Every structure is written in structure tokens, then in C-alpha cells.
Amino acid sequence: MKVGIVGLGYVGLPLAVAYAEEGHEVIGVDISQRVVEALARGESHIEDVAAERVGGLGARLHPTTRYAELAHCDTVVIAVPTPLTRNREPDLGPVVAAGRSLAGVLQRGQLVVLESTSYPGTTRERLVPLLEESGLAAGNDFAVAYSPERVDPGRADYTLRTTPKVVGGLTGSCRERAAAFYSIVCDDVVQVSSLEIAELTKLLENVFRSVNIALVNELAMLCDRMGIDIWEVVDAASTKPYGYMRFEPGPGMGGHCLPVDPFYLAWRAREFDTTTEFIELAGEVNQAMPHFCFEKIARALNDSSRPVRGSRVAILGVSYKPGVGDMRESPALRIMGLLREHGADLRYHDDHVPQLPEFGLVSEPLDELLGDSDCVAIVTAHPGLDVQRVVDDAPLVVDFRGVTAGRTAGNVVRL
């Protein structure tokens, strides 16, 4: 089988490698010449995909910038970003561009699957009309399906193979064909009755997390006022074996999905004269967390008789989650921006992110930061971080991840 993948990022590249490792020929299309050239050299720009895996594929993986090479594929998967505009509205520009380009080479009998996260109706109302500009009829001349990506960067316990794959089709035969396609690389394929159900399934998964994270973040801000340790509260609540699922507070949500997906659903709901107040409020709470964290640092410095302006503030961990270098929507960037706006002398340490060009900074050795900073803020606690050493050597520690819980030290301030 010949497989085409449009978009060779966090979703598309692992998918491309999986099919190639199963012995199928994969044509990978990406708009970035740099990405295409690196993959052609056997290099990987995605942490979850080792360069050895890419290099070992040989001719089975063919990266290119040319859509024309998709004309002879049996199946084409679109896995491009779906960001938000400055007004926090869906930006389907990459999906539209991919659909229009694919229409120019679409062939009778092909299967097209969209994996990009979007609002219910995107595949049927936006992608299908673009593909039908080819002169072919969706559901008859070619098949269309939607299967939401479920990639969690840096996670090893649930992989593409072991994570159930949801699939919805334009028709029943479209769905069955897509299910057969994904069964090659996924052990469990879950078929649902429509494109819209598959699309909304992904949004529900992430809205569920967003709302619960917002709940515990709001409680953390209340606990800060009340002088109660939120981490001990969460630990105690987590002992209940039923009716409770553990969520932890933090500096805000990052990555492509959680900060974005709720707004896709809220925007779509307004088209049906419905307001999703609960969902939108959760988004507002989570967006406010970096500001709360900045204020927490400012208060901690003030209690040490130091203003923010001129203080040397070191940020430990700037990626959006532990163990990866993914900077998409990272709350650390917003916290650092606020600190710089108020005159702080910024520095940072992150083994996964060697430089931050937008701040003109490079990651500095932990030893140098701990002994030469007025305040050290733990924003992302990567595996291997020596927390006790940070507590022992830094004059002031502000912990936004709860990793110092249980340690008694006068120089530690926790979220």
C-alpha cells in the first residue's frame, strides 16, 4: 500500500514512520523545506521519533514538498495544525490549503482522512467541498473519513499502537475503509456513526481536561488567599477510590490541544446561537494562570525586600510539559514576558530547549543559575531535576509544579 501524509509534525511524522515500519511506502508532504531535507538525511525534528527509526526506513519514507506525488497513494492523511487567530477564533488556513492542494491531484478510489483537531462539521462542510473541486464526488468516487489524533508528546505508556483510534466516515463504507487502514498500526479501532461524532469526541476529551484543570487552578488561587496548601488538599482528595479524578494546578496549559480546542467548540456553538459559558470560563481561568504566577513571583521577591525590576529571575523548565522540548502555547513564555515587561533580569535552564530566540536567551547550566539568581521559579519540572539541590542552593524558590511538597524550607514558596 502507498500512504500519503500531509504535515510531518508531532502527529504526521509518527504516523508516517509507523506505516513505513510496517513495510508500506509513505509519501510525506510538508511545506517546510528544512523539515523535508532533514528527514531525507535521516534526521528527526520530533522528540518522540528517534533519528535511528527515520534513518532505518530507507526509501520507504519519501519526504517532499510536492503534492503531485500524492496522486498515486491509496490513502492520504491530512495532519496539519489548526491554530487560533489573534481573536481566539479557529484558523483553518492550513486545512484549507492542504485540501485545495490535494484536490489538484486527487484520484478516483483514494481515501482521504483528516486528523487535524477542529469543530464538528469541519470535514463535511469545509474539507469535502474543497476536495470535490477535483470534479470527483465524495463518498462515491473517493472516500472521506475523520480520525482525531491522540498524540501526547513524551508519553511512552500509550503509543500510536496501544491508544484506541476513533474513526468516523462520510458513509458507512468510508468508515470501514478508514478503520481497515488504521488497524494496520493501531490495535483497537473504535468506529463511530458520523464525522461529527468523531470530531466532537476529540473536543470533549480536551474540554474535559481543560475544565478540570481550571477548577483546580481556581481552587489554587483561593487556597493562596486562605493560606491553605493546595497540594496537600489534592493529595488528600486523591485517596478517594471513586468519584474523583486527580488533576493538579499549574502555571497554565500548553501544547497545541488544551489551550486551543475549547475555543474551537465555543466558536462553533455560537453559530448555533448557544453560549458554552462553562467551557469559556475554564479557558479564561487557565489563561489567567501565567499572570497569577507572575504576581506570585513578585510577591515572593517583595517579601525578600526585592522589587521585580533589576532582580535576577531564573526559570527552570520552559517547555509546556516535562520530558519534551515542545514550546507550543507554553505558559513559561507568558510568565517570562510579564517578568521582562516589569524589568526582571531573565535567565533560564532547560535541557530540552537550548535557546529562546524571542528572548535572546540560551539555556544556562543549573549550577550557575542557582548560585547567581535572586529567585528561581520551577515552571516545568523535567525528569531528573534535582529538586533538593534547587531548594538547598537557591536563595528563593517559587514552585509552580508542587515538586517541593513535603520539603520544609523557609526559602520555598509554592503555588
Side-chain angles (χ1 to χ4, degrees), residues 56 94 123 138 144 175 218 233 255 257 281:
T123 309
V144 177
R175 180 189 69 241
E218 190 166 65
V233 173
C257 292
L281 178 59

Side-chain angles (χ1 to χ4, degrees), residues 106 182 361:
L106 190 66
Y182 280 112
L361 299 174

Side-chain angles (χ1 to χ4, degrees), residues 191-393:
Q191 299 187 45
V192 296
S193 61
S194 72
L195 296 167
E196 289 76 13
I197 287 178
E199 290 164 333
L200 188 53
T201 294
K202 176 60 185 292
L203 295 184
L204 173 58
E205 294 168 10
N206 287 333
V207 166
F208 172 81
R209 293 186 62 196
S210 173
V211 167
N212 281 280
I213 291 170
L215 172 64
V216 76
N217 276 339
E218 190 166 65
L219 188 59
M221 289 186 274
L222 174 62
C223 285
D224 183 68
R225 292 286 187 94
M226 298 176 69
I228 295 174
D229 187 340
I230 181 61
W231 300 100
E232 188 171 355
V233 173
V234 171
D235 286 342
S238 298
T239 62
K240 185 177 181 180
Y242 59 91
Y244 181 83
M245 181 178 291
R246 183 185 181 102
F247 285 86
E248 297 182 348
M253 296 190 306
H256 171 66
C257 292
L258 293 188
V260 174
D261 293 358
F263 290 97
Y264 267 73
L265 184 56
W267 178 86
R268 182 60 164 170
R270 287 195 291 273
E271 289 197 332
F272 290 84
D273 296 322
T274 301
T275 57
T276 51
E277 296 180 20
F278 198 64
I279 295 171
E280 294 183 62
L281 178 59
E284 292 171 11
V285 170
N286 289 325
Q287 283 190 16
M289 284 307 292
H291 294 269
F292 176 77
C293 291
F294 161 73
E295 292 168 2
K296 190 84 173 177
I297 293 172
R299 293 203 308 270
L301 284 168
N302 185 68
D303 290 343
S304 299
S305 302
R306 290 185 177 276
V308 173
R309 186 170 300 279
S311 290
R312 293 163 297 179
V313 180
I315 304 297
L316 300 189
V318 297
S319 62
Y320 89 87
K321 65 177 292 187
V324 301
D326 194 339
M327 295 299 300
R328 293 176 294 176
E329 301 286 335
S330 174
L333 299 180
R334 295 191 286 280
I335 294 171
M336 293 176 73
L338 290 167
L339 286 166
R340 176 161 284 184
E341 285 176 19
H342 288 79
D345 180 8
L346 279 179
R347 309 166 71 184
Y348 84 96
H349 169 77
D350 192 317
D351 289 332
H352 297 269
V353 184
Q355 58 184 349
L356 289 175
E358 60 267 53
F359 287 93
L361 299 174
V362 296
S363 178
E364 299 182 38
L366 184 61
D367 283 340
E368 296 180 12
L369 291 187
L370 295 181
D372 191 32
S373 297
D374 299 309
C375 176
V376 173
I378 303 175
V379 178
T380 301
H382 287 298
L385 176 66
D386 190 338
V387 177
Q388 189 60 55
R389 182 173 157 209
V390 172
V391 172
D392 290 343
D393 295 351

